[in-house]
Amino acid sequence: MRFIEYMDVGNANSWTSAKLVAKKEIIEKIHARYPLREIGRDQGSAPSVDYEFVDGCGDIGVIASVTEPFWASCTRLRLTADGKIVTCLFSQAGHDVQKTLLRSGATDDEIRVFLSAIWRKRTDRYSVERLEALNSANYDPKSHRRSK
């Protein structure tokens, strides 16, 4: 089972930090009833930090994209339903691989070069920037940004 902190994906869900249940609280509540031991991230790049129950009867994971952003270790591109590549769940824009390459009959090598270039140029650090804003004394919970 995986628990995911309440995320503001595209701001379509009226996200506010007041509704956030942080990873730390999730783990504390479960651990109080069912003691846990941290396993860590699978291969260092997985989105969840995994825990096993001390009694050996299973494991859980927590994806803490809000309170513990893992942008620097993320190795995942996402393909949206409309054929765009995004380098982060929080990306504001995608790169059109469907019309640009796939429909034009691009080779595997051309697609590989295209995707590699997108990855090398990625600058989307939204989750890190959001955490910095949340930790700022100037954070405005209504706009989800620092006030000036």
Side-chain angles (χ1 to χ4, degrees):
M1 178 180 292
R2 298 290 175 261
F3 294 86
I4 304 173
E5 289 180 339
Y6 180 50
M7 300 185 306
D8 54 335
V9 180
N11 288 318
N13 59 357
S14 301
W15 188 88
T16 174
S17 60
K19 295 179 184 178
L20 174 68
V21 178
K23 173 190 162 194
K24 181 180 178 191
E25 183 178 351
I26 294 168
I27 293 302
E28 286 172 352
K29 286 185 183 255
I30 296 170
H31 183 74
R33 175 95 189 245
Y34 306 101
L36 296 167
R37 176 177 32 246
E38 183 173 332
I39 299 170
R41 288 188 196 276
D42 184 30
Q43 301 177 2
S45 65
S48 71
V49 175
D50 297 329
Y51 296 80
E52 63 185 359
F53 293 105
V54 173
D55 66 6
C57 291
D59 59 83
I60 63 166
V62 181
I63 299 172
S65 66
V66 176
T67 62
E68 296 177 14
F70 47 89
W71 173 86
S73 64
C74 181
T75 59
R76 291 173 167 85
L77 284 174
R78 282 97 176 158
L79 177 62
T80 65
D82 61 350
K84 292 188 174 78
I85 294 292
V86 293
T87 57
C88 179
L89 285 174
F90 303 104
S91 292
Q92 297 296 317
H95 305 271
D96 193 342
V97 69
Q98 178 185 4
K99 292 177 185 168
T100 306
L101 295 172
L102 299 180
R103 288 186 178 176
S104 67
T107 66
D108 289 350
D109 283 337
E110 290 169 324
I111 294 169
R112 191 174 300 110
V113 167
F114 178 79
L115 296 177
S116 294
I118 290 170
W119 191 256
R120 281 192 310 275
K121 295 176 189 173
R122 83 187 258 241
T123 59
D124 44 12
R125 297 179 58 248
Y126 178 75
S127 56
V128 173
E129 292 166 354
R130 180 196 44 229
L131 181 62
E132 290 169 355
L134 284 171
N135 291 331
S136 167
N138 300 325
Y139 179 70
D140 175 10
K142 290 184 181 178
S143 70
H144 316 299
R145 291 183 172 69
R146 288 183 191 170
S147 60
K148 299 196 180 190

